[in-house]
Amino acid sequence: PVEATDDAFWDQFWADTATSVQDVFALVPAAEIRAVREESPSNLATLCYKAVEKLVQGAESGCHTEKERQIVLNCCRLLTRILPYIFEDPDWRGFFWSTVPGAGRGGGDEDDENARPLAESLLLAVTDLLFCPDFTVQSHRRSTVDTAEDIHSIDSCEYIWEAGVGFAHSPQPNYIHDLNRTELLKLLLTCFSEAMYLPPSSDSSNTNPWVQFFCSTENRHALPLFTSLLNVVCAYDPVGYGIPYNHLLFSDYREPLVEEAAQVLIVTLDYDSSTSSSPTVDGTTTGTAMDDVDPPGPDNLFVNYLSRIHREEDFQFILKGVARLLSNPLVQTYLPNSAKKIQFHQELLVLFWKLCDFNKKFLFFVLKSSDVLDILVPILYFLNDARADQSRVGLMHIGVFILLLLSGERNFGVRLNKPYSVRVPMDIPVFTGTHADLLIVVFHKIITSGHQRLQPLFDCLLTIVVNVSPYLKSLSMVAANKLLHLLEAFSTTWFLFSAVQNHHLVFFLLEVFNNIIQYQFDGNSNLVYAVIRKRNVFHQLANLPTDSQSIQKGLQRKKKTPEPISRTNSQDGVSMEGSRPAAPAEPGTLKTSLVATPGIDKLTEKSQVSEDGTMRSLEPEASQLSPEGNPPAALSDGEPWSGEASHSRRDRRRLSSASSSGQWTPTPDWVMSWKSKLPLQTIMRLLQVLVPQVEKICIDKGLTDESEILKFLQHGTLVGLLPVPHPILIRKYQANSGTAMWFRTYMWGVIYLRNVDPPIWYDTDVKLFEIQRV
């Protein structure tokens, strides 16, 4: 053991010449940190305590000299290196939350009771240092050193890092300040990463003490810090001041800061909104009655501030910024390398999700303008691009979650009718049409040519299409054929009989057709024509056999015939210009595991749209049904969602592959139970009326030409011939602890994989997810 008072020994760790964070990682190998932790714990404790003390002193003095700044940065790098090894050992995890004996902040003579836990001193010092004039922010005083600003009297709100939300003045960019901020933010992120060393649990009271303290009223810089992080991210323009290829001439020191800021921001916003309304009544909270004195609500100030943004110009600034950054990889494909290609789109998607989830005004602002399409197109691009890549399954999920959240609002469906003219290079069939066509074509591509692990997302993808379907004014022929191709594939007997929840997909698709026919018949002659051409699919569904022998035969058929879902339509030949097919993961790519996502029934609640466009929730009514009971007419999409729909992802995979080995077998009763509820009446009536008329035209005019038939269908009407329109049902996303946990594992997985220089968490024993090589 080395005495804490032996300054000559300890100072060599930080007082030496300039190093970089990479040097510190090279000079302090993992094996040595672990050896010190096991063999001389008191030395490791002293080192941490001393490093924090130096940061506190730096924050107190305001870092006026170059030497002080060097010491602060070195301590910062050292702690970033050591902290993960403290978190990975359960015996050490409480260390930072203890006070160091005899180390009262007043120099040892005051009571230890007043001493702060080490973690709190560390976080407060870092926040002070992030607003330290001439170190991380521009000094406002043009003055000599002796009248330098007192760090305690400055109002950090005047030192917000970038113009944007709540702050109009954009400070002069300063390369050194950006680098220093980046290092301090790296340390903050490392402090927060204790979450990586705890296994995933659905217990949402599992709050991160570091984040909790950092986002509490104890942090006097909470507001300016939140604003600085948000503004730095949303104001960033990677194009290089509007001049293509400019980034090749000089380095962009802003980008590392923006990435770090985005990561710190999403971690501080990791908050389970489903449980925040009030403590649970059934006593599942671990606290006692005394703890619930505080009114529940976001005591996390970052969540609080985010939820209170309300000015239109702030919303505009945020939306424009996020859309600009998400579209950056698409710009790349036009003029290769013209702009700097950003890599932090996953963090941006999490941030956008948090904004919509915590701030409903922002969500409505997004949907009110057609700027929502500037978010939609990049998301569809990422989904299409990542569909064959096993290592990007998390990106697929978050993209789909965002679209599910947006699709719960009528405005989103209406916006999709805007013509799609910008041609983003994607390997999808060429079509002329709207953003709705783009969405359907991309979803079809994901379902038919994505990899196996995307199957749990099929429900979600089709739910989004159902949600927007009542508002789609005119689908293109390409999109109409894609929808019918999906129905054809999902209604084959082997698919319907091979897993317990497969028939739900058919119910979703039928609901799409019903919505369009009932509410948008006039503009949708392409879809009506496609339905007439593929009418045998509907007749087969209506006449689906339910006896045991046919069920067995249906299951056998799978072995003989290739999967119909991978069949390409003849018109798929032409792809968008400049498109590259979805690349599978490079061999050796690391990926992190994810917890299972809740089933669609847990993710959404049903709402019915009334005549005046308002929605009312239908959930209670539906959940009282027994699985055998007949649902009210409005809910006839498949049997009421009973527990079987919410099999975890692993069960689902097992069911669909291993059903033949007898874990689950379809029975005639089971087939009857849902076949009787197939909503086929509207389509059958349509076919009954239109097929004879179309056949007559063909015979009379000897037609083989589609355009005449389409013209006839455009002017046709079914008023009074169809059943009474069913009420529009929307399945709106609802917050729940399952998705909160999913977001936590996904977000930390992204942060783990993205921080490679220096590799902060590599080779440490993380518990929140597993790291796998593809």
Side-chain angles (χ1 to χ4, degrees), residues 503-536:
H503 62 276
H504 293 294
L505 301 173
V506 169
F507 278 90
F508 283 137
L509 284 164
L510 289 176
E511 197 173 338
V512 171
F513 296 134
N514 286 340
N515 280 342
I516 293 178
I517 292 165
Q518 294 275 20
Y519 292 98
Q520 300 289 350
F521 179 81
D522 289 353
N524 274 300
S525 50
N526 287 330
L527 184 80
V528 174
Y529 178 62
V531 167
I532 291 174
R533 273 186 50 215
K534 289 281 186 190
R535 56 189 177 274
N536 64 322

Side-chain angles (χ1 to χ4, degrees), residues 641-750:
W641 293 95
S642 52
E644 59 185 33
S646 55
H647 280 295
S648 75
R649 183 186 302 185
R650 213 166 281 119
D651 292 349
R652 285 183 186 208
R653 259 211 314 279
R654 198 178 65 224
L655 277 170
S656 47
S657 56
S659 54
S660 51
S661 66
Q663 277 161 330
W664 171 83
T665 44
T667 62
D669 288 350
W670 172 78
V671 178
M672 276 306 295
S673 73
W674 54 261
K675 180 190 166 182
S676 60
K677 302 190 190 103
L678 282 168
L680 286 165
Q681 307 80 341
T682 303
I683 294 172
M684 289 310 189
R685 187 84 189 99
L686 171 133
L687 292 173
Q688 201 183 347
V689 175
L690 292 179
V691 169
Q693 299 181 352
V694 170
E695 284 175 341
K696 185 169 187 306
I697 297 178
C698 295
I699 293 164
D700 291 356
K701 304 197 171 170
L703 277 185
T704 47
D705 180 24
E706 300 189 346
S707 58
E708 283 288 322
I709 302 169
L710 284 169
K711 203 177 294 172
F712 162 72
L713 291 174
Q714 266 160 15
H715 302 304
T717 173
L718 290 174
V719 177
L721 296 171
L722 292 180
V724 180
H726 54 286
I728 295 178
L729 267 191
I730 300 290
R731 290 172 189 78
K732 287 170 83 91
Y733 167 80
Q734 58 173 357
N736 60 68
S737 45
T739 40
M741 192 62 233
W742 184 89
F743 271 99
R744 182 171 307 152
T745 54
Y746 170 62
M747 167 183 83
W748 279 114
V750 169

Side-chain angles (χ1 to χ4, degrees), residues 307-312 315 355-356 358-368:
S307 65
R308 296 214 312 253
I309 298 173
H310 62 274
R311 291 179 18 216
E312 293 261 320
F315 288 157
L355 280 156
C356 292
F358 295 146
N359 190 324
K360 288 297 169 252
K361 288 199 178 95
F362 176 74
L363 176 62
F364 295 132
F365 175 84
V366 170
L367 290 164
K368 191 175 72 184

Side-chain angles (χ1 to χ4, degrees), residues 445-742:
K445 194 94 182 177
I446 295 168
I447 291 172
T448 55
S449 64
H451 55 81
Q452 189 63 36
R453 295 195 45 216
L454 297 180
Q455 245 174 342
L457 279 178
F458 290 3
D459 280 352
C460 259
L461 292 166
L462 293 185
T463 300
I464 295 164
V465 181
V466 173
N467 281 348
V468 300
S469 59
Y471 312 109
L472 304 183
K473 293 193 173 355
S474 62
L475 284 185
S476 68
M477 191 59 96
V478 173
N481 284 334
K482 295 297 176 208
L483 284 175
L484 277 141
H485 177 232
L486 287 179
L487 182 70
E488 199 174 2
F490 289 150
S491 58
T492 58
T493 48
W494 74 259
F495 183 79
L496 284 173
F497 297 157
S498 64
V500 72
Q501 76 293 336
N502 282 356
H503 62 276
H504 293 294
L505 301 173
V506 169
F507 278 90
F508 283 137
L509 284 164
L510 289 176
E511 197 173 338
V512 171
F513 296 134
N514 286 340
N515 280 342
I516 293 178
I517 292 165
Q518 294 275 20
Y519 292 98
Q520 300 289 350
F521 179 81
D522 289 353
N524 274 300
S525 50
N526 287 330
L527 184 80
V528 174
Y529 178 62
V531 167
I532 291 174
R533 273 186 50 215
K534 289 281 186 190
R535 56 189 177 274
N536 64 322
V537 178
F538 299 97
H539 290 305
Q540 276 165 7
L541 263 179
N543 301 318
L544 192 71
T546 56
D547 57 290
S548 306
Q549 202 181 352
S550 310
I551 293 176
Q552 282 316 308
K553 209 158 120 197
L555 286 170
Q556 293 310 311
R557 197 165 304 165
K558 158 73 169 136
K559 296 184 181 115
K560 298 194 201 85
T561 56
E563 207 170 326
I565 200 121
S566 54
R567 238 193 355 220
T568 46
N569 282 0
S570 50
Q571 30 163 271
D572 272 6
V574 202
S575 265
M576 302 250 163
E577 212 175 322
S579 62
R580 297 185 308 276
E586 298 275 310
T589 308
L590 288 181
K591 65 171 184 155
T592 53
S593 62
L594 289 163
V595 294
T597 48
I600 193 72
D601 52 323
K602 300 274 189 299
L603 267 180
T604 55
E605 65 175 353
K606 294 194 178 120
S607 313
Q608 193 171 311
V609 183
S610 322
E611 300 291 310
D612 58 357
T614 55
M615 294 197 188
R616 61 188 184 83
S617 171
L618 285 179
E619 210 49 67
E621 183 184 356
S623 55
Q624 286 156 11
L625 295 167
S626 62
E628 303 80 40
N630 281 328
L635 288 177
S636 60
D637 63 322
E639 59 202 306
W641 293 95
S642 52
E644 59 185 33
S646 55
H647 280 295
S648 75
R649 183 186 302 185
R650 213 166 281 119
D651 292 349
R652 285 183 186 208
R653 259 211 314 279
R654 198 178 65 224
L655 277 170
S656 47
S657 56
S659 54
S660 51
S661 66
Q663 277 161 330
W664 171 83
T665 44
T667 62
D669 288 350
W670 172 78
V671 178
M672 276 306 295
S673 73
W674 54 261
K675 180 190 166 182
S676 60
K677 302 190 190 103
L678 282 168
L680 286 165
Q681 307 80 341
T682 303
I683 294 172
M684 289 310 189
R685 187 84 189 99
L686 171 133
L687 292 173
Q688 201 183 347
V689 175
L690 292 179
V691 169
Q693 299 181 352
V694 170
E695 284 175 341
K696 185 169 187 306
I697 297 178
C698 295
I699 293 164
D700 291 356
K701 304 197 171 170
L703 277 185
T704 47
D705 180 24
E706 300 189 346
S707 58
E708 283 288 322
I709 302 169
L710 284 169
K711 203 177 294 172
F712 162 72
L713 291 174
Q714 266 160 15
H715 302 304
T717 173
L718 290 174
V719 177
L721 296 171
L722 292 180
V724 180
H726 54 286
I728 295 178
L729 267 191
I730 300 290
R731 290 172 189 78
K732 287 170 83 91
Y733 167 80
Q734 58 173 357
N736 60 68
S737 45
T739 40
M741 192 62 233
W742 184 89

Side-chain angles (χ1 to χ4, degrees), residues 180-199:
N180 294 343
R181 290 165 179 173
T182 306
E183 299 230 31
L184 287 161
L185 290 179
K186 247 191 210 354
L187 173 57
L188 268 183
L189 199 58
T190 311
C191 290
F192 297 157
S193 70
E194 186 181 49
M196 282 195 211
Y197 298 90
L198 302 168

Side-chain angles (χ1 to χ4, degrees), residues 56-111:
V56 172
Q57 286 168 2
E60 292 284 318
S61 69
C63 286
H64 294 305
T65 65
E66 200 42 59
K67 183 167 190 276
E68 282 180 290
R69 288 174 198 161
Q70 199 50 59
I71 289 178
V72 162
L73 288 173
N74 283 339
C75 290
C76 184
R77 292 160 188 161
L78 195 62
L79 284 166
T80 303
R81 179 62 173 145
I82 292 171
L83 273 165
Y85 296 91
I86 288 195
F87 293 151
E88 75 174 2
D89 184 337
D91 298 337
W92 273 86
R93 228 167 268 149
F95 168 69
F96 270 85
W97 294 96
S98 57
T99 50
V100 178
R105 290 278 155 252
D109 31 310
E110 64 182 273
D111 234 345

Side-chain angles (χ1 to χ4, degrees), residues 114-150:
N114 303 341
R116 281 189 173 283
L118 208 48
E120 295 187 5
S121 307
L122 170 56
L123 290 172
L124 292 176
V126 173
T127 53
D128 276 343
L129 288 165
L130 284 168
F131 292 101
C132 189
D134 292 325
F135 179 50
T136 48
V137 289
Q138 207 75 44
S139 173
H140 287 187
R141 296 231 178 117
R142 293 277 150 264
S143 64
T144 53
V145 174
D146 40 275
T147 59
E149 294 163 273
D150 171 22

